[in-house]
Amino acid sequence: LIIGGGIANFTDVAATFTGLIQALQHYASDIKEHKIQIWIRRAGPNYVEGLRKVKAASDKLGLGLKVYGPETHITAVVPMALGLMEPLPEPDLSVACGPPARKMIPGAGSKPSTQKPAPAPSQHTIVTATPETTSIVYGMQNRAVQGMLDFDFMCKR
């Protein structure tokens, strides 16, 4: 189970995690029985307190949740949860962190690029997916997904 979100503007992360903690308490035996791994990446107002609370509840219940804040790129959680890359160390939640310092995520089994070189700047082209393109979209919010795709394109990811 992956619980992810960008950086909330107005949502109190600690308050929303109160409901999540109640659900974890209610379903803890089922989560353990089915060996469900839970990965959380969240940021926004009060996120440190929210991550602290959910991590404390996880430790008390013996669920082994992995929690990350804005120091971890939102898309990094998916390959870790799927076992495609080693889990990054979880952040120290005893203190608030400063601005995120991110590193590029190495691709598992990277292949040489088969893409054509970029066209001359004067030409306008439409870029489409190739057969090697992989995308996972959850909680389909068209505008948010388009913003992430645009950002990744501009960063040449």
Side-chain angles (χ1 to χ4, degrees), residues 43-59:
N46 231 356
Y47 82 90
V48 173
E49 186 62 24
L51 292 178
R52 277 186 199 140
K53 285 181 176 181
V54 78
K55 185 66 173 175
S58 165
D59 292 346

Side-chain angles (χ1 to χ4, degrees), residues 23-110:
L24 291 173
Q25 291 167 341
H26 187 265
Y27 293 102
S29 59
D30 293 330
I31 293 169
K32 288 185 214 175
E33 179 185 342
H34 296 286
K35 297 179 175 75
I36 297 172
Q37 294 182 20
I38 301 176
W39 297 73
I40 298 175
R41 190 283 186 186
R42 198 67 175 102
N46 231 356
Y47 82 90
V48 173
E49 186 62 24
L51 292 178
R52 277 186 199 140
K53 285 181 176 181
V54 78
K55 185 66 173 175
S58 165
D59 292 346
K60 181 180 175 184
L61 297 167
L63 299 178
L65 266 70
K66 298 285 189 186
V67 296
Y68 299 94
E71 73 288 335
T72 304
H73 197 279
I74 190 169
T75 58
V77 175
V78 175
M80 290 188 296
L82 295 175
L84 300 175
M85 68 179 276
E86 288 295 316
L88 297 171
E90 292 180 68
D92 178 11
L93 297 174
S94 62
V95 293
C97 69
R102 299 184 178 129
K103 298 178 183 173
M104 292 299 290
I105 302 167
S110 298

Side-chain angles (χ1 to χ4, degrees), residues 41 72-79 102-105 115 127 133-138 143-157:
R41 190 283 186 186
T72 304
H73 197 279
I74 190 169
T75 58
V77 175
V78 175
R102 299 184 178 129
K103 298 178 183 173
M104 292 299 290
I105 302 167
Q115 290 184 329
V127 179
T133 302
T134 303
S135 177
I136 298 173
V137 179
Y138 56 93
R143 189 169 182 191
V145 171
Q146 187 61 55
M148 288 184 271
L149 292 171
D150 291 344
F151 179 82
D152 285 350
F153 176 76
M154 295 305 291
C155 293
K156 298 187 180 352
R157 280 196 232 170

